[in-house]
Amino acid sequence: MKKILVTGGLGFIGSHTVVELQNSGFKVIIIDDLSNSKIEVLDNITEITGVKPEFYKLDLKIKSNVLDFFKNKKIDGVIHFAAFKAVGESVQNPLDYYENNIGSLVYLLQGMRDNNIDNLIFSSSCTVYGQSDELPITENAPIKTAESPYGNTKQIGEEIIKESCKAYAMNAIALRYFNPIGAHPSIKIGELPLGIPQNLIPYITQTAAGIRKELSIFGNDYETPDGTAIRDYIHVVDLAKAHIAALNRLLEKKNTKSFNFFNIGTGIGTSVLEIIKTFEKCTGVNLNYKFVAKREGDVTSAFASTKNANEQLDWKAEKSLEEALLSAWKWQQKSNNV
Ligand code: WQD
């Protein structure tokens, strides 16, 4: 049974990926520092799959933690989620972001190198493209100057991995996520934003639950059909399955280069107003909202060309936007997390 290390495995995307890994017959080890996740998620994963992953509470910013962890462990691959990911927060605290996101990546790669672990899946982001001139966004779109330290840590992270793959005969795939949303159909795991949600969907579900007074829509004068910004919202379970497809590609040694990367989205662009209307239609809940100024760093429109992922990973997003939004609402009602 292949053993896979998942860093940040109790987080939103990490936990859904652990479920799919265990459902696919992999043995899973999770490292998480619980800075942006809850230990209860471990039991929830166990309830869904019937298997309890091995768990280590470790801070990957501490080099000795990482190098000691790898000693005497036979690991076949690593999926690296652990990182800070709030765009606005990264502007306020850039050094925390560089220390955590870059420092822990370097130590993780050193641990992999020293223990001959040569398969890595890296959690990247469509923010590496900034506002692309071409839509849908292909993997050939130029990487632009990052709009935030968060986005910069993803760009730098990909460069570090690319160079490490060349130098140490490793193989890696970066998955450039668009906008992950929703919750597992069991409604036992989902998004757990701590504090005021930065992302649209958890803010919507907390507004619908009466936790927030109203949703502020950042900008209604974008050059889009209804004036609100467009994104590619992908069900988190579809995103999790993309990691299994990418991992199998590495384990079967099908990477065309030592470092490959793929856009992971639905290929469908949806505006903020369309999200609101779809949410209201599928939940029957009316949303209070108002228009406010644009948020700094936001792009007008971003949705993926999924051709490469569909053909080379043999993966395609299957769940609808309605299913994703309804699962997010059911998760909110169950967890009423604030
Ligand atoms: C979506 C749209 C906002 C909140 C970020 C990261 C990206 C990825 C996904 C990690 C935008 C609008 C939002 C609100 C609003 N994260 N909005 N009111 O910014 O596209 O991407 O999360 O990988 O890397 O950058 O997602 O959900 O914050 O915003 O109007 O209260 O909703 O302006 O148009 P974003 P988001």
Side-chain angles (χ1 to χ4, degrees), residues 233-252:
Y233 297 92
I234 177 171
H235 196 298
V236 62
V237 171
D238 278 330
L239 176 58
K241 290 180 175 175
H243 291 76
I244 311 306
L247 180 63
N248 286 328
R249 175 183 168 93
L250 290 181
L251 295 174
E252 292 160 19

Side-chain angles (χ1 to χ4, degrees), residues 40-236:
E40 290 83 352
V41 174
L42 189 62
D43 291 336
N44 299 338
I45 291 169
T46 308
E47 278 173 38
I48 296 169
T49 63
V51 177
K52 182 165 189 169
E54 235 177 296
F55 172 71
Y56 296 81
K57 182 176 181 293
L58 283 183
D59 182 347
L60 295 174
K61 295 196 297 294
I62 300 165
K63 185 171 184 175
S64 58
N65 280 356
V66 181
L67 301 189
D68 291 348
F69 166 80
F70 277 108
K71 282 182 185 142
N72 312 317
K73 284 205 180 53
K74 190 193 170 313
I75 288 169
D76 298 288
V78 178
I79 304 181
H80 182 45
F81 291 105
F84 294 157
K85 64 157 197 164
V87 172
E89 185 185 61
S90 76
V91 174
Q92 311 301 326
N93 305 303
L95 289 178
D96 292 358
Y97 271 68
Y98 289 115
E99 182 191 34
N100 187 59
N101 293 8
I102 303 301
S104 56
L105 174 63
V106 169
Y107 298 151
L108 184 74
L109 288 166
Q110 289 173 329
M112 291 178 68
R113 175 200 61 193
D114 298 349
N115 294 275
N116 303 313
I117 301 165
D118 62 10
N119 294 312
L120 172 68
I121 307 286
F122 178 61
S123 167
S124 190
S125 170
C126 61
T127 41
V128 300
Y129 298 113
Q131 177 55 71
S132 171
D133 299 330
E134 59 170 62
L135 290 168
I137 302 175
T138 68
E139 286 84 353
N140 299 322
I143 301 299
K144 292 192 175 171
T145 305
E147 308 260 352
S148 68
Y150 161 74
N152 205 20
T153 65
K154 291 301 179 184
Q155 291 182 2
I156 296 168
E158 288 195 11
E159 285 303 308
I160 290 172
I161 291 167
K162 184 178 173 184
E163 288 157 15
S164 301
C165 286
K166 276 194 200 121
Y168 308 118
M170 295 164 75
N171 296 289
I173 292 175
L175 297 181
R176 294 173 177 171
Y177 309 155
F178 280 68
N179 290 57
I181 65 169
H184 190 266
S186 66
I187 312 298
K188 292 179 186 293
I189 53 176
E191 197 164 4
L192 281 171
L194 304 181
I196 299 173
Q198 300 296 307
N199 293 127
L200 178 65
I201 304 311
Y203 206 105
I204 284 178
T205 59
Q206 288 193 12
T207 303
I211 296 167
R212 307 289 164 198
K213 180 169 161 293
E214 65 184 344
L215 170 73
S216 296
I217 298 179
F218 300 142
N220 67 330
D221 57 351
Y222 280 103
E223 287 188 24
T224 61
D226 65 18
T228 62
I230 291 169
R231 295 290 185 275
D232 183 332
Y233 297 92
I234 177 171
H235 196 298
V236 62

Side-chain angles (χ1 to χ4, degrees), residues 221-290:
D221 57 351
Y222 280 103
E223 287 188 24
T224 61
D226 65 18
T228 62
I230 291 169
R231 295 290 185 275
D232 183 332
Y233 297 92
I234 177 171
H235 196 298
V236 62
V237 171
D238 278 330
L239 176 58
K241 290 180 175 175
H243 291 76
I244 311 306
L247 180 63
N248 286 328
R249 175 183 168 93
L250 290 181
L251 295 174
E252 292 160 19
K253 305 203 182 309
K254 289 182 178 170
N255 246 15
T256 52
K257 293 179 193 154
S258 58
F259 176 66
N260 280 174
F261 45 87
F262 296 94
N263 290 348
I264 302 297
T266 65
I268 300 164
T270 306
S271 74
V272 176
L273 275 176
E274 287 170 329
I275 287 285
I276 291 170
K277 303 242 172 316
T278 308
F279 180 85
E280 291 180 328
K281 182 165 156 279
C282 64
T283 62
V285 177
N286 284 328
L287 267 179
N288 299 323
Y289 63 84
K290 64 180 177 182

